[in-house]
Amino acid sequence: MNDKRDSMQEVSSELLCETYWTALQLGLDQGFVEMLKAELARRGIDINNESE
């Protein structure tokens, strides 16, 4: 069961990262972008090292 949960969290983090980059590219509301950035940081994902 933990493997399935870990897999879902990994997919969720990947989607969150994609959402962040898309929101940034589209120039969406800065508050929304900052919220995504904060959640990525909370998950320990360094967006500065992510490539598009």
Side-chain angles (χ1 to χ4, degrees), residues 3-52:
D3 290 339
K4 186 174 182 179
R5 182 177 172 89
D6 290 344
S7 180
M8 290 299 291
Q9 285 180 337
E10 184 177 326
V11 169
S12 173
S13 291
E14 288 176 20
L15 288 171
L16 184 63
C17 199
E18 286 296 321
T19 302
Y20 171 79
W21 288 114
T22 301
L24 201 60
Q25 289 176 339
L26 294 175
L28 296 183
D29 180 71
Q30 190 63 31
F32 178 67
V33 173
E34 289 300 317
M35 179 194 69
L36 293 170
K37 187 176 181 179
E39 179 61 23
L40 287 164
R42 186 185 73 77
R43 294 180 186 210
I45 299 170
D46 182 5
I47 57 169
N48 296 320
N49 292 328
E50 294 287 329
S51 61
E52 296 182 45

